[in-house]
Amino acid sequence: MRTQAILGFLSFTPYVQEYLDAAHSVLNHLGSISPYHRAHHASDINSQLPSDCTVDQVMLMHRHGSRGPIGEHKHINYLVQTLDNASDVVQEANLSRELEFLRAGYSSNLTPHNLTILGRKELFDHGVEFALRYPYLTAGDILSSDSERVVESARWFALGFFGLDADVRISTVSDTDDPVSWITPAPGRACPKFDYSFGQQATLTWSKQYLPAITDRLNKLLPGVGFSENDIHGALFACAYDLAARGISPWCDVFQPEELADFEYERDILMDASCAYTLPDNMAPLVGTVFVNKLIERFTNSSGDSSPLYLEFGHDVTILLALSALGLAKDDPPLSPDELRPDRKFRTSELTPFAANMVWERFTCTRSFDGPQIRLILNDATFPLSICGKGMDTTLGTCSLDTFIKANHYSTGIQFQDETWNKTCGL
C-alpha cells in the first residue's frame, strides 16, 4: 500500500485501518507539520479512569489545524521552477515508479498561512469528539490567539462542539494586549531575548548533514535535471504540505524511511531550539511557567471564579512552552544538530502535529483516590505526568493535584518581572 494514500479523508472510507497502516510512517516523520493523528506516548498506560471517578474540570489548549506553508513555500517554489526548466529532460527520461508522476508535471497552489480544508475538518471533528467526551460540561466563551488561522480553527471547533445556533463568544488576545498571556505564540515584549532564530541555526547545521546524500540519490535517478539541496528541501516540504492541503502527495513516496527520519529530526531540533529545551538560558521553561501557573490557579480555584471548562486556541509553541516548564518529553543529554537521536523523547509529530490538543482534566473519585487528581491527555493519548515522580500512578499516568503543585515548585516560584524573569529575558 503506497503512502500516497489519502490521509485526510480516512474517516469517509471503510478501509480506515488499512490506509492508516500504510501512511503511519509518513505521519510519524513530518514533525510539527504532520497532519493530525492520535499519539502513542505510553503503551502501558490505561486510558480509562476507574468507574467511581468523575472529571469535573477541563482545560483545553488546541493548536490550529493543518495550514499552508509559512516561509517553506520558497523551497517548494524552487523545486517547481527547477522542474519547469527541465521539463524536456523529464519527458524523455526513463522514470522510476516513484517519479512517474513528474511526467504529467508538478505544480503547487498552496496558500501560505491559511487553514486548509482538511484543517477545518480536523477542528470540526475535534469539536464533535470533545462534546461527546464531556457532554456535561459547557462554556460560553472561547479564547484564541489573534492569528487568523487560529481564530478560524476556534470557529470550526465551536461548530462541532456547540452546533449552529450556539451563543458562544470567541475572544482574541495578542502579545500587545497581554504580554504574558498563556495563549499568544511567543512572549513578545514580555521576553525580548526570546528569538526563533536559535532554531533556524540548528536546522541549517543538521540540513547540511543529511540533504546532500538525498540530492545525490535523486540526481542519479533523474540525471539532467540538476536538483539542488533547496529543491530537495522543497520536495520534503511538498510532501508535508500537500498532505495538509489535500491529504495526498506523490512526493512522500519518493523518500526512503531513513530520509524521512532525518527530515523529522530537522523539524524536532528546529522546535526544540526555538521554543523548548535547547533555547538558551532556560528561556522556554521560564516562559512556559505562565501556562502552568494559570492551570494551577484554575484547578485550585485560587481566584474564586474558576469555570468547569476552558476552551482555548493557540499554536504549537504554546504547547511546547508549557511542556518545557513541566519537564515533559525532555531528553538527557539535550538534542544536538550534530547527530541524529533516534531514541529521543522530543518528537513534535507526537507532541504538536497540526490540530494538536492538550487536554488537562481535574477529576475526583469516591474510592480509587483521595482528593482531586490531575491527568494530561495529549493528542488523544494519556501523557504520563512523570514530573510527579513516585507520586504518579503508574497505571493511569495521573497524580494528585497536591503532588502536581508541589512538583511544579519551579513554576510557582516564578512571577512575571521578578528577578529570574528579568535576568533571563533581558528586561
Side-chain angles (χ1 to χ4, degrees), residues 84-142:
D84 285 347
N85 293 341
S87 58
D88 290 343
V89 174
V90 172
Q91 292 304 317
E92 295 173 3
N94 181 19
L95 296 174
S96 59
R97 177 189 59 81
E98 64 268 26
L99 292 175
E100 184 63 38
F101 72 95
L102 291 176
R103 206 175 299 281
Y106 176 79
S107 61
S108 175
N109 56 359
L110 302 170
T111 304
H113 298 275
N114 287 8
L115 207 63
T116 67
I117 293 173
L118 295 184
R120 298 170 195 161
K121 180 181 180 297
E122 287 166 344
L123 270 294
F124 177 80
D125 287 349
H126 288 183
V128 172
E129 292 161 7
F130 212 73
L132 292 172
R133 188 186 305 168
Y134 307 109
Y136 50 89
L137 297 178
T138 190
D141 294 282
I142 290 176

Side-chain angles (χ1 to χ4, degrees), residues 58-76:
V58 172
M59 181 172 165
L60 166 70
M61 170 54 65
H62 207 303
R63 186 191 181 192
H64 59 77
S66 292
R67 55 157 172 80
I70 299 177
E72 304 98 334
H73 62 282
K74 68 180 181 181
H75 295 286
I76 300 174

Side-chain angles (χ1 to χ4, degrees), residues 122-281:
E122 287 166 344
L123 270 294
F124 177 80
D125 287 349
H126 288 183
V128 172
E129 292 161 7
F130 212 73
L132 292 172
R133 188 186 305 168
Y134 307 109
Y136 50 89
L137 297 178
T138 190
D141 294 282
I142 290 176
L143 191 61
S144 169
S145 159
D146 63 347
S147 169
E148 185 175 340
R149 63 181 175 275
V150 180
V151 175
E152 185 182 355
S153 295
R155 288 175 177 154
W156 284 105
F157 180 95
L159 183 62
F161 185 80
F162 295 103
L164 282 172
D165 302 318
D167 183 20
V168 60
R169 179 180 63 182
I170 298 178
S171 302
T172 60
V173 62
S174 69
D175 60 5
T176 301
D177 302 327
D178 185 355
V180 286
S181 171
W182 60 99
I183 298 293
T184 52
R189 295 176 300 148
C191 193
K193 287 177 66 177
F194 191 100
D195 191 345
Y196 287 120
S197 65
F198 292 113
Q200 295 293 342
Q201 185 55 53
T203 298
L204 288 173
T205 301
W206 175 244
S207 65
K208 289 177 183 177
Q209 294 198 48
Y210 86 93
L211 284 177
I214 307 177
T215 306
D216 289 345
R217 184 178 71 82
L218 290 186
N219 276 324
K220 289 176 181 176
L221 278 178
L222 192 50
V225 172
F227 288 118
S228 69
E229 290 173 20
N230 276 332
D231 297 328
I232 301 308
H233 225 174
L236 287 160
F237 284 126
C239 164
Y241 284 110
D242 284 349
L243 291 181
R246 295 182 288 275
I248 187 171
S249 177
W251 285 108
C252 296
D253 282 334
V254 171
F255 299 104
Q256 297 172 354
E258 63 271 21
E259 294 169 344
L260 288 172
D262 286 338
F263 179 64
E264 175 194 24
Y265 192 63
E266 175 190 295
R267 307 311 299 168
D268 288 347
I269 59 175
L270 169 68
M271 299 310 294
D272 195 27
S274 295
C275 53
Y277 294 111
T278 54
L279 188 67
D281 302 325

